[in-house]
Amino acid sequence: MLEVCNIVKEYEFNNEKNRILDNVSFNVADGEILGITGKSGSGKTTILKILRGIEGFDSGYFELDGERIEPDSEKDKLKFLAHTSAIHLQRNFGLWNGPAIENIIRRLNFQIEGNEGLPEPDAFNYDELYEEAMYYMRLVGLEHKAQHSSNLLSGGEKQRLILARQLAAKPRLLLLDEPVTMTGPGTKQEILDVIRNIKKELKIPIIIVSHLPEIHLYLADRVVYLEKGKIVETGEPEKVLKHFLKDIQKQVPLPDKTNDGAIIKVRGLSNRFVLLRVGEVLKFEDLELDINKGEITALIGQSGAGKTTLMKMIEGLRIPKEGEISYLHDGNWLNIVDFTRQRLELRRKMSIMHQEFTLSPHSTIREQLAFKLRLKGERSLDFARQKALELGISDEELDTLYKLTEVAEEEKDKTLREMNLTIEIYSRLFPLITKENVDEHAAEVFEALDLPMSVLDKTPYQISGGEHVRAYIALALVSRPEILMLDEPFGDLDPVTLRDVTNSLKNINKKFGTTIVFVSHHMDFVKEAAHRAILVDNAKIIMDGKPEEVCGKLIEMSHAKYLEHDISELVDN
């Protein structure tokens, strides 16, 4: 039994106190699943961190199995939490190499030896540890993968193995923080069924934080609705979720398709990729695809199906072994796979948003827009080419530097080191942008995104979660790209904020005719935002058509029972 009473948590930022949790109280019985929902930034994850003992709090207390934890509790109480609770975080892939079951054996051995050393097979207790490890493998539905190498498991199987490792510590409280958000419907269903089985088998209190209503409808016995650190309502899932969604915006109609023909042509695309994180091999063979000008197109499929890899090749960030990826550029078809001087001009017309998007926390929105305009403004390339000539930088090196503006920081830093350059090279190559330039370029985009111009002079900490996301979209759009590429950037948004973003994308498409291509696991988002959906499975296109029908096919392939709950019934508009 878990009892939480009047928990208060405050952070200090810029000498101001910000109350993240405000007298939060609830309880969770043994064998009960409590769901916690609310908008992004409402304090959901902070609660889990406090209950796990990895985050302090200012007042109140909580009790687990009769043991009371207070703000000034001694270290032995925190050790108690470490031994009696387990937390499972999304995108956690920390596993030992070798047979999957050895990950569980190591965890069990930690309880005995204090380290995760692997005992020898002839150790006196090895057989006992193996049998106990098999119990946890069965609990998460992986007994048939016991001897499979952990690095060759699928993403969903890895998630289940990590969950089994947590359970091997014999927790009295299980904390789940968005455990399925960034996975496809099939993987979601696997993990959700495992959580149901854990509830039935172990009968421990379970808390699951998720912004997805369908997850709570499938799993939770009760739901807590949290808003700005306060509990608004606790109760039966459907009733609480209906309250949570009462203020969701109405859908903006999807703009009519323009039928202007193809803007991207993929022909004869072939390559073989090993996905390091999930241990799977993708083999693209002679793939062909057209992306139509002015259309919103979604790429969907199971986790590891090849969607993101295909997107990165289309973006020109991964080079295929064979094939062409051609863009309509100034009336001619330009292959982005091969270097040409025109490729830089093509990159200027594109904008890319990756997974785990973020804004720089300490710069104002204006400063970040100004940097984007330096790189992708109308006169940026002419200026950069002249400066590159003065600095002895070749066209090909300039092309590489330009591409780096669209990749992850780690890859950017590595390539810059290899080129014996630093990030300062961008300030030397590209022109300064004035306040007036930013205002001029931001005005129309901000209007389409329903963002007040006052946001320009604020940092991300000073704006709401919904404004944060729309400001990032503004960053992608401020240079007026013809093509916007989105790789699952909105997977961890609550449905209220996601509706704001969905409406914004449709407004952008209608106002500017922007061609939008996005990858998403979120079926409701795809059906609402896209003109067309393309189903990718095992690096092949297996269906291409109306989003409702293509999403239906993926749900059918995934046996995703949790999606049988119709979320639209919870929304009044």
Side-chain angles (χ1 to χ4, degrees):
M1 177 77 176
L2 172 72
E3 184 81 33
V4 177
C5 188
N6 294 324
I7 292 290
V8 171
K9 171 67 179 178
E10 294 181 334
Y11 288 118
E12 190 168 304
F13 181 73
N14 286 344
N15 297 317
E16 290 184 10
K17 283 195 173 180
N18 187 11
R19 184 163 286 201
I20 303 301
L21 297 175
D22 192 353
N23 290 295
V24 168
S25 299
F26 59 85
N27 60 67
V28 194
D30 290 345
E32 181 182 29
I33 296 179
L34 180 76
I36 301 181
T37 194
K39 291 182 183 178
S40 307
S42 59
K44 304 185 295 294
T45 296
T46 302
I47 290 175
L48 296 195
K49 289 180 177 179
I50 288 171
L51 296 176
R52 175 64 173 157
I54 55 180
E55 184 88 61
F57 56 105
D58 296 287
S59 63
Y61 68 90
F62 61 95
E63 287 187 2
L64 178 60
D65 286 351
E67 193 78 32
R68 180 176 289 208
I69 312 296
E70 298 175 320
D72 56 355
S73 289
E74 300 292 333
K75 286 185 178 179
D76 62 328
K77 294 290 183 75
L78 298 181
K79 286 183 179 178
F80 165 79
L81 284 179
H83 285 96
T84 55
S85 66
I87 190 165
H88 183 69
L89 304 169
Q90 96 181 80
R91 301 184 192 150
N92 179 355
F93 284 91
L95 290 168
W96 294 90
N97 287 330
I101 194 169
E102 289 183 357
N103 277 271
I104 314 300
I105 294 172
R106 287 176 182 273
R107 186 67 171 174
L108 293 170
N109 196 46
F110 179 83
Q111 314 299 320
I112 303 167
E113 303 290 342
N115 64 70
E116 291 202 7
L118 184 67
E120 295 293 331
D122 58 357
F124 76 96
N125 63 341
Y126 185 86
D127 290 345
E128 183 181 332
L129 290 172
Y130 189 92
E131 283 305 310
E132 188 175 359
M134 277 302 295
Y135 165 76
Y136 291 107
M137 294 291 281
R138 285 192 290 272
L139 190 60
V140 299
L142 285 179
E143 64 273 21
H144 61 297
K145 294 292 182 82
Q147 295 302 325
H148 289 228
S149 180
S150 62
N151 68 313
L152 296 180
L153 299 178
S154 71
E157 288 167 345
K158 284 187 176 184
Q159 290 280 18
R160 285 188 278 157
L161 181 58
I162 289 165
L163 193 51
R165 273 178 51 82
Q166 301 282 22
L167 298 174
K170 301 177 178 62
R172 286 292 306 134
L173 172 66
L174 181 59
L175 308 168
L176 304 169
D177 188 14
E178 300 285 8
V180 297
T181 299
M182 300 299 286
T183 59
T187 301
K188 277 188 176 71
Q189 188 65 54
E190 291 174 9
I191 297 171
L192 295 179
D193 287 341
V194 164
I195 294 168
R196 272 188 166 183
N197 193 41
I198 290 167
K199 171 192 171 181
K200 179 181 176 183
E201 183 79 13
L202 300 185
K203 296 180 173 59
I204 60 175
I206 299 173
I207 299 177
I208 180 164
V209 161
S210 179
H211 62 266
L212 296 174
E214 58 267 33
I215 301 305
H216 294 303
L217 289 171
Y218 190 74
L219 284 181
D221 298 295
R222 289 183 299 130
V223 171
V224 168
Y225 167 25
L226 199 66
E227 189 66 45
K228 295 181 180 177
K230 293 183 178 182
I231 291 181
V232 177
E233 185 178 4
T234 303
E236 188 270 327
E238 188 169 328
K239 179 174 176 288
V240 174
L241 292 167
K242 196 172 181 69
H243 187 180
F244 170 46
L245 297 173
K246 66 179 174 49
D247 294 326
I248 195 168
Q249 280 191 27
K250 291 185 177 181
Q251 289 189 42
V252 167
L254 189 66
D256 293 335
K257 290 195 289 186
T258 58
N259 298 315
D260 288 337
I263 193 171
I264 306 172
K265 290 183 178 181
V266 178
R267 297 290 183 267
L269 193 68
S270 298
N271 213 341
R272 181 179 180 275
F273 294 97
V274 177
L275 305 183
L276 296 178
R277 278 178 53 177
V278 297
E280 294 175 344
V281 174
L282 287 173
K283 191 175 182 182
F284 292 86
E285 289 187 289
D286 204 27
L287 185 142
E288 301 206 349
L289 169 66
D290 284 358
I291 300 295
N292 296 321
K293 184 177 175 62
E295 206 168 75
I296 305 177
T297 301
L299 299 176
I300 68 171
Q302 300 283 23
S303 301
K307 307 178 298 299
T308 291
T309 303
L310 175 57
M311 180 74 110
K312 285 187 179 298
M313 287 191 287
I314 292 173
E315 293 165 346
L317 300 180
R318 281 195 178 183
I319 304 302
K321 187 176 181 180
E322 297 176 10
E324 293 186 358
I325 301 161
S326 299
Y327 284 72
L328 188 60
H329 174 63
D330 292 343
N332 298 308
W333 288 100
L334 180 66
N335 184 7
I336 199 172
V337 173
D338 300 324
F339 167 72
T340 60
R341 276 178 59 88
Q342 290 75 30
R343 186 161 73 173
L344 277 85
E345 296 159 17
L346 178 58
R347 291 196 193 283
R348 196 188 72 78
K349 293 161 58 173
M350 299 165 56
S351 197
I352 298 171
M353 291 178 68
H354 295 294
Q355 294 179 15
E356 302 176 7
F357 72 87
T358 185
L359 291 168
S360 176
H362 303 297
S363 302
T364 65
I365 305 304
R366 180 187 299 283
E367 290 166 340
Q368 296 179 61
L369 292 176
F371 184 72
K372 187 63 176 277
L373 285 169
R374 287 189 78 166
L375 298 173
K376 295 207 169 184
E378 290 178 13
R379 53 186 288 265
S380 297
L381 275 181
D382 290 340
F383 187 95
R385 280 174 168 151
Q386 180 60 42
K387 284 292 181 182
L389 193 62
E390 295 171 13
L391 295 169
I393 293 174
S394 69
D395 283 342
E396 199 156 356
E397 288 171 325
L398 184 58
D399 178 77
T400 299
L401 288 169
Y402 212 49
K403 182 177 76 170
L404 290 180
T405 62
E406 304 284 13
V407 304
E409 290 300 314
E410 186 178 340
E411 183 181 346
K412 182 191 298 180
D413 293 343
K414 178 177 179 290
T415 306
L416 285 173
R417 285 196 302 271
E418 290 170 352
M419 297 174 73
N420 291 316
L421 295 171
T422 65
I423 194 71
E424 283 71 32
I425 190 64
Y426 291 101
S427 61
R428 299 180 67 188
L429 281 172
F430 293 93
L432 285 171
I433 299 296
T434 66
K435 178 180 183 296
E436 291 72 27
N437 289 145
V438 175
D439 286 349
E440 179 187 345
H441 284 81
E444 202 171 7
V445 172
F446 272 41
E447 182 184 353
L449 293 172
D450 195 25
L451 268 175
M453 291 291 280
S454 58
V455 164
L456 280 172
D457 294 306
K458 295 180 179 179
T459 67
Y461 283 117
Q462 296 170 310
I463 60 179
S464 71
E467 287 174 334
H468 185 113
V469 179
R470 281 176 285 146
Y472 192 84
I473 297 174
L475 187 63
L477 291 169
V478 71
S479 60
R480 300 289 174 82
E482 291 184 15
I483 303 166
L484 177 62
M485 307 281 200
L486 311 166
D487 185 6
E488 194 70 77
F490 312 128
D492 55 358
L493 293 182
D494 65 83
V496 177
T497 305
L498 185 61
R499 172 62 62 78
D500 294 346
V501 170
T502 306
N503 285 346
S504 295
L505 288 177
K506 289 189 276 191
N507 285 337
I508 289 294
N509 174 255
K510 181 178 181 179
K511 190 175 187 71
F512 303 120
T514 311
T515 302
I516 301 174
V517 186
F518 68 83
V519 170
S520 183
H521 288 122
H522 201 306
M523 297 298 97
D524 287 338
F525 176 55
V526 173
K527 287 185 277 189
E528 189 174 317
H531 293 110
R532 167 193 180 199
I534 298 169
L535 178 54
V536 180
D537 188 59
N538 196 26
K540 296 177 178 62
I541 293 173
I542 63 170
M543 191 173 180
D544 182 344
K546 295 179 180 178
E548 192 80 30
E549 296 172 3
V550 180
C551 287
K553 177 65 175 177
L554 176 57
I555 292 168
E556 178 190 329
M557 289 169 53
S558 306
H559 307 291
K561 293 178 289 183
Y562 77 95
L563 286 174
E564 292 172 1
H565 298 280
D566 189 354
I567 306 307
S568 64
E569 294 177 3
L570 301 174
V571 181
D572 291 330
N573 55 54

